[in-house]
Amino acid sequence: TAAVLFAGIAGLVAWRTSGSSGKAPTATAARRLQARGVTFLYDGSLSPDGRYLASRDASSNGLLVFRDLATGRSRSLGSGFRGVLVAAVFSPDGKQLACSLRFPDWFTELRVMGIDGSQQRLLYRDLETILRVRHWSPDGRFILATAVLTPKRKVQLVRVSVADGSVRVLADMGRDFPVGTSFSPDSR
């Protein structure tokens, strides 16, 4: 079973698919999740099991919203911080979220929290960087992110340690902003 998410003019739509190995999947259910106020798809993340969507709520000043795709119910997880959600990604086990938050004075934070909003932990804060989380490593040890150094608009691909928040620059991208980035299956 897998979940497919599509964002377009018609709104945000999710399909659940099923099929055994070697057979073409068949769509078993389609649900329109949101007709208006759809934010860019990279603002959200599907859980590893395809049941949950964590995304930015365009109607509430960018708070983090957690949606159960099976029931269609949503709840805000944004009351614990005052920043606007830039992006969120699920941990490989689906029990945590890594969230990039932007604040009015343009600094960003990277926080890790339980999917219920509990156990928030600050990993990274910088006054001169806009950080966007991209992917959580399969082994759960690192978070891949793009960092825009605001004074020079220089873009870097960085790896942030979940254990201690240390940052390692993986690549200088100049002014190019990578769209699709992820760790390899062996977390490298």
Side-chain angles (χ1 to χ4, degrees):
T1 299
V4 178
L5 194 62
F6 173 75
I9 295 171
L12 194 57
V13 179
W15 287 272
R16 281 187 107 41
T17 62
S18 63
S20 59
S21 178
K23 293 184 180 178
T26 58
T28 58
R31 176 186 294 237
R32 176 172 284 158
L33 301 176
Q34 188 176 4
R36 289 177 239 203
V38 175
T39 57
F40 293 106
L41 188 56
Y42 61 68
D43 291 336
S45 175
L46 279 173
S47 62
D49 64 4
R51 178 168 181 173
Y52 301 106
L53 172 68
S55 66
R56 179 170 64 188
D57 182 359
S59 64
S60 66
N61 295 323
L63 294 178
L64 174 61
V65 173
F66 190 74
R67 182 180 294 266
D68 185 324
L69 298 177
T71 66
R73 292 190 186 126
S74 296
R75 59 187 159 89
S76 174
L77 298 180
S79 59
F81 43 79
R82 60 179 169 61
V84 173
L85 181 73
V86 175
V89 294
F90 279 91
S91 63
D93 63 7
K95 295 179 181 178
Q96 297 183 82
L97 285 167
C99 301
S100 299
L101 303 164
R102 189 191 68 207
F103 293 85
D105 49 3
W106 285 96
F107 75 89
T108 59
E109 289 183 351
L110 170 56
R111 291 184 175 267
V112 173
M113 68 182 80
I115 61 170
D116 61 356
S118 67
Q119 301 174 339
Q120 288 190 33
R121 189 165 53 100
L122 178 66
L123 283 185
Y124 176 87
R125 176 184 286 158
D126 195 314
L127 298 174
E128 296 183 347
T129 303
I130 299 171
L131 195 73
R132 178 182 298 275
V133 294
R134 295 292 185 167
H135 192 248
W136 205 308
S137 66
D139 64 11
R141 295 177 43 215
F142 301 103
I143 296 166
L144 188 65
T146 49
V148 179
L149 309 175
T150 54
K152 297 179 181 179
R153 305 297 293 167
K154 180 180 172 183
V155 180
Q156 295 178 328
L157 189 62
V158 299
R159 184 183 79 180
V160 181
S161 168
V162 174
D164 62 13
S166 61
V167 176
R168 179 178 168 212
V169 176
L170 300 176
D172 285 312
M173 308 299 291
R175 292 184 181 254
D176 295 329
F177 199 84
V179 176
T181 56
S182 65
F183 283 98
S184 63
D186 64 357
S187 298
R188 293 183 179 198

